[in-house]
Amino acid sequence: MLLAAQIIAGIVLLIHVYIFLLETVLFHSRGRKVFGLTAERAEIMAPAMSNQGCYNGFLALALAAGLLLPDPAMGRAFLFYGLGCVAIAGVWGAVTVQRRILFVQTVPAVLGLVALAMA
């Protein structure tokens, strides 16, 4: 079950790297299209999206640390922390922004948490 948890955490990590890129580096091109924003609206939202993107980057870093740290107990702690934060952020995003976020972020994170708890 540990391998399943690591694979799921890796997928969640990749999702958050992609979200980080959409909200920061690629916001005015690909990000604007993904989020369905006009050029004018994107210009207004760019600073807040960049800040939000940083937080998604931090979540990805926590998961990367969990997967790469040589101490298994420390890695497990980082995975629990990262997946827990992603699950909570996904619920909040589903409530405040768009229901789809629940399925993109929360469901994979919860699956990873369950697999990790069972490992």
Side-chain angles (χ1 to χ4, degrees):
M1 200 50 92
L2 180 59
L3 180 59
Q6 291 171 328
I7 290 169
I8 295 168
I11 292 168
V12 174
L13 182 152
L14 292 174
I15 290 169
H16 280 77
V17 167
Y18 180 62
I19 294 169
F20 162 77
L21 291 171
L22 285 177
E23 293 174 342
T24 58
V25 179
L26 303 173
F27 182 68
H28 289 287
S29 57
R30 177 87 181 126
R32 183 173 75 82
K33 293 174 188 163
V34 168
F35 298 121
L37 301 171
T38 64
E40 297 79 24
R41 184 82 175 133
E43 198 58 42
I44 293 167
M45 293 181 67
M49 292 299 284
S50 181
N51 185 54
Q52 183 172 307
C54 284
Y55 288 100
N56 279 298
F58 299 148
L59 292 173
L61 285 173
L63 294 170
L67 293 171
L68 298 174
L69 284 169
D71 178 2
M74 186 75 77
R76 187 177 174 93
F78 268 93
L79 287 178
F80 270 117
Y81 174 78
L83 291 169
C85 287
V86 169
I88 293 166
V91 169
W92 185 251
V95 169
T96 61
V97 179
Q98 187 178 47
R99 180 186 278 161
R100 183 177 69 148
I101 294 171
L102 189 71
F103 302 102
V104 173
Q105 290 184 10
T106 302
V107 170
V110 169
L111 291 174
L113 285 167
V114 169
L116 191 58
M118 292 174 62

